[in-house]
Amino acid sequence: MIEGLSHMTFIVRDLDRMSAILTGIFDAREVYASDTEQFSLSREKFFLIGDLWIAIMGGEPLPERSYNHIAFKIDDADLDRYAERIKTLGLDMRPPRPRVEGEGRSIYFYDDDNHMFELHTGTLTERLARYAKGLDRAS
């Protein structure tokens, strides 16, 4: 039986740059760095974002960008603060996708290795409730 999410791993060209992104945007806490010891396929670092274990490993970046992404939940009041953090790190933000009112707001951005991240203000419960109303009714 699946107990939950164990961890997520991202392959990155530059461990230090991705470390700066994780700590600078997500307030991630570094809990391990392999340095010269290599237990896995390449050098790696582990972080915690809340209780979520994020691993980064050295390697070749994704060849292109896609809409595949991981979304982190944030409070709507913090949206502008996070957008500023992303801009400060010089990351590429996508324009928000069209949304119906009531499903939350999002910031989409790419890291230097073509991974897409989303910071989202809504919840699954809110989105399902809004979708249940259909397209004809705005609220």
Side-chain angles (χ1 to χ4, degrees):
M1 178 174 175
I2 300 294
E3 296 178 17
L5 184 62
S6 171
H7 66 280
M8 302 187 73
T9 299
F10 296 95
I11 305 303
V12 300
R13 237 181 324 226
D14 184 337
L15 291 173
D16 292 333
R17 171 66 173 158
M18 188 60 169
S19 297
I21 291 169
L22 293 174
T23 58
I25 295 173
F26 302 106
D27 296 319
R29 184 169 53 93
E30 184 176 318
V31 295
Y32 171 77
S34 64
D35 298 321
T36 58
E37 293 186 316
Q38 187 171 316
F39 295 103
S40 192
L41 300 175
S42 63
R43 288 182 49 232
E44 60 189 346
K45 290 185 174 190
F46 299 159
F47 295 84
L48 289 175
I49 299 175
D51 291 331
L52 181 59
W53 170 16
I54 301 291
I56 60 174
M57 298 178 75
E60 288 302 309
L62 294 171
E64 60 187 32
R65 293 177 172 182
S66 77
Y67 191 69
N68 289 331
H69 63 279
I70 178 172
F72 291 90
K73 172 75 170 81
I74 62 169
D75 189 273
D76 191 76
D78 294 329
L79 199 74
D80 292 338
R81 183 169 58 90
Y82 280 102
E84 190 57 39
R85 288 180 177 191
I86 295 162
K87 288 177 190 172
T88 298
L89 285 165
L91 298 171
D92 187 16
M93 285 195 320
R94 280 180 51 122
R97 71 170 178 78
R99 294 190 178 274
V100 293
E101 188 176 328
E103 69 166 312
R105 298 190 301 156
S106 292
I107 300 170
Y108 294 92
F109 66 95
Y110 289 98
D111 70 6
D112 298 337
D113 298 285
N114 295 325
H115 301 112
M116 181 193 243
F117 296 88
E118 176 184 6
L119 300 173
H120 185 67
T121 65
T123 65
L124 176 60
T125 301
E126 292 167 341
R127 185 173 294 191
L128 292 175
R130 174 56 189 94
Y131 284 10
K133 292 179 181 181
L135 290 174
D136 294 337
R137 292 172 274 159
S139 58

